Short mmCIF file of all heavy atoms in Angstrom, two decimals:
data_model
loop_
_atom_site.label_atom_id
_atom_site.label_comp_id
_atom_site.label_asym_id
_atom_site.label_seq_id
_atom_site.Cartn_x
_atom_site.Cartn_y
_atom_site.Cartn_z
N HIS A 162 -59.26 28.80 29.37
CA HIS A 162 -60.62 29.23 28.97
C HIS A 162 -61.53 28.02 28.97
O HIS A 162 -61.13 26.90 28.67
CB HIS A 162 -60.59 29.79 27.55
CG HIS A 162 -59.83 31.05 27.42
ND1 HIS A 162 -60.22 32.26 27.87
CD2 HIS A 162 -58.60 31.28 26.83
CE1 HIS A 162 -59.34 33.19 27.60
NE2 HIS A 162 -58.35 32.60 26.96
N THR A 163 -62.78 28.28 29.32
CA THR A 163 -63.80 27.23 29.24
C THR A 163 -64.75 27.55 28.08
O THR A 163 -64.90 28.70 27.69
CB THR A 163 -64.66 27.15 30.51
OG1 THR A 163 -65.33 28.38 30.72
CG2 THR A 163 -63.79 26.79 31.73
N LEU A 164 -65.31 26.51 27.53
CA LEU A 164 -66.38 26.69 26.55
C LEU A 164 -67.33 25.48 26.71
O LEU A 164 -67.20 24.45 26.10
CB LEU A 164 -65.86 26.74 25.09
CG LEU A 164 -66.92 27.01 24.04
CD1 LEU A 164 -67.71 28.25 24.31
CD2 LEU A 164 -66.28 27.06 22.68
N PHE A 165 -68.27 25.64 27.69
CA PHE A 165 -69.26 24.63 27.91
C PHE A 165 -70.48 24.95 27.03
O PHE A 165 -70.62 26.09 26.54
CB PHE A 165 -69.63 24.59 29.39
CG PHE A 165 -68.48 24.15 30.29
CD1 PHE A 165 -67.88 25.07 31.15
CD2 PHE A 165 -67.97 22.88 30.20
CE1 PHE A 165 -66.82 24.66 31.97
CE2 PHE A 165 -66.89 22.47 30.98
CZ PHE A 165 -66.34 23.38 31.86
N LYS A 166 -71.33 23.97 26.83
CA LYS A 166 -72.46 24.15 25.92
C LYS A 166 -73.30 25.37 26.24
O LYS A 166 -73.74 26.09 25.37
CB LYS A 166 -73.31 22.88 25.85
CG LYS A 166 -72.56 21.79 25.14
CD LYS A 166 -73.42 20.62 24.78
CE LYS A 166 -72.52 19.63 24.03
NZ LYS A 166 -73.24 18.53 23.47
N ASN A 167 -73.51 25.66 27.52
CA ASN A 167 -74.31 26.83 27.89
C ASN A 167 -73.59 28.15 27.63
O ASN A 167 -74.21 29.21 27.63
CB ASN A 167 -74.75 26.75 29.34
CG ASN A 167 -73.59 26.84 30.31
OD1 ASN A 167 -72.53 26.29 30.07
ND2 ASN A 167 -73.80 27.50 31.43
N GLU A 168 -72.27 28.10 27.35
CA GLU A 168 -71.49 29.29 27.06
C GLU A 168 -71.38 29.57 25.56
O GLU A 168 -70.86 30.63 25.16
CB GLU A 168 -70.08 29.16 27.66
CG GLU A 168 -70.06 29.06 29.16
CD GLU A 168 -68.65 28.82 29.69
OE1 GLU A 168 -67.99 27.83 29.24
OE2 GLU A 168 -68.22 29.58 30.56
N ILE A 169 -71.81 28.63 24.72
CA ILE A 169 -71.66 28.78 23.27
C ILE A 169 -72.25 30.06 22.75
O ILE A 169 -71.57 30.80 22.01
CB ILE A 169 -72.21 27.54 22.54
CG1 ILE A 169 -71.32 26.31 22.81
CG2 ILE A 169 -72.32 27.79 21.03
CD1 ILE A 169 -71.93 25.02 22.30
N PRO A 170 -73.51 30.39 23.07
CA PRO A 170 -74.07 31.64 22.50
C PRO A 170 -73.27 32.89 22.86
O PRO A 170 -73.13 33.82 22.04
CB PRO A 170 -75.49 31.69 23.09
CG PRO A 170 -75.84 30.26 23.37
CD PRO A 170 -74.54 29.64 23.82
N LYS A 171 -72.76 32.95 24.05
CA LYS A 171 -72.05 34.16 24.49
C LYS A 171 -70.59 34.18 24.01
O LYS A 171 -70.11 35.22 23.56
CB LYS A 171 -72.09 34.23 26.02
CG LYS A 171 -71.38 35.46 26.58
CD LYS A 171 -71.42 35.47 28.10
CE LYS A 171 -70.66 36.67 28.63
NZ LYS A 171 -70.48 36.58 30.06
N LYS A 172 -69.91 33.05 24.07
CA LYS A 172 -68.48 33.04 23.80
C LYS A 172 -68.10 32.66 22.37
O LYS A 172 -67.10 33.11 21.86
CB LYS A 172 -67.76 32.05 24.75
CG LYS A 172 -67.73 32.50 26.19
CD LYS A 172 -66.91 31.54 27.02
CE LYS A 172 -66.75 32.00 28.43
NZ LYS A 172 -65.91 31.04 29.22
N MET A 173 -68.91 31.81 21.72
CA MET A 173 -68.54 31.32 20.41
C MET A 173 -69.33 31.97 19.28
O MET A 173 -68.77 32.28 18.24
CB MET A 173 -68.67 29.81 20.36
CG MET A 173 -67.98 29.15 19.17
SD MET A 173 -67.83 27.36 19.31
CE MET A 173 -69.39 26.79 18.66
N TRP A 174 -70.62 32.14 19.43
CA TRP A 174 -71.45 32.66 18.33
C TRP A 174 -71.07 34.03 17.86
O TRP A 174 -71.24 34.31 16.65
CB TRP A 174 -72.92 32.58 18.72
CG TRP A 174 -73.48 31.16 18.64
CD1 TRP A 174 -72.81 30.06 18.26
CD2 TRP A 174 -74.77 30.77 18.97
NE1 TRP A 174 -73.61 28.97 18.34
CE2 TRP A 174 -74.87 29.36 18.76
CE3 TRP A 174 -75.91 31.44 19.41
CZ2 TRP A 174 -76.02 28.64 18.97
CZ3 TRP A 174 -77.07 30.70 19.63
CH2 TRP A 174 -77.12 29.32 19.42
N PRO A 175 -70.58 34.94 18.66
CA PRO A 175 -70.19 36.26 18.11
C PRO A 175 -68.94 36.23 17.24
O PRO A 175 -68.67 37.19 16.53
CB PRO A 175 -69.95 37.12 19.37
CG PRO A 175 -70.62 36.41 20.50
CD PRO A 175 -70.55 34.95 20.14
N LEU A 176 -68.16 35.17 17.30
CA LEU A 176 -66.89 35.09 16.56
C LEU A 176 -67.14 34.98 15.06
O LEU A 176 -68.15 34.42 14.62
CB LEU A 176 -66.08 33.88 17.02
CG LEU A 176 -65.64 33.87 18.48
CD1 LEU A 176 -64.98 32.52 18.83
CD2 LEU A 176 -64.71 35.04 18.79
N PRO A 177 -66.21 35.48 14.24
CA PRO A 177 -66.35 35.30 12.81
C PRO A 177 -66.32 33.83 12.44
O PRO A 177 -65.64 33.03 13.09
CB PRO A 177 -65.15 36.05 12.22
CG PRO A 177 -64.20 36.25 13.35
CD PRO A 177 -64.98 36.17 14.61
N VAL A 178 -67.03 33.47 11.41
CA VAL A 178 -67.14 32.07 11.00
C VAL A 178 -65.77 31.51 10.67
O VAL A 178 -65.51 30.30 10.84
CB VAL A 178 -68.17 31.91 9.84
CG1 VAL A 178 -67.61 32.40 8.54
CG2 VAL A 178 -68.65 30.51 9.74
#
Side-chain angles (χ1 to χ4, degrees):
H162 295 286
T163 62
L164 183 56
F165 296 112
K166 289 192 178 189
N167 65 322
E168 298 175 306
I169 291 171
K171 180 180 177 190
K172 291 184 175 182
M173 194 167 86
W174 283 358
L176 298 173
V178 75

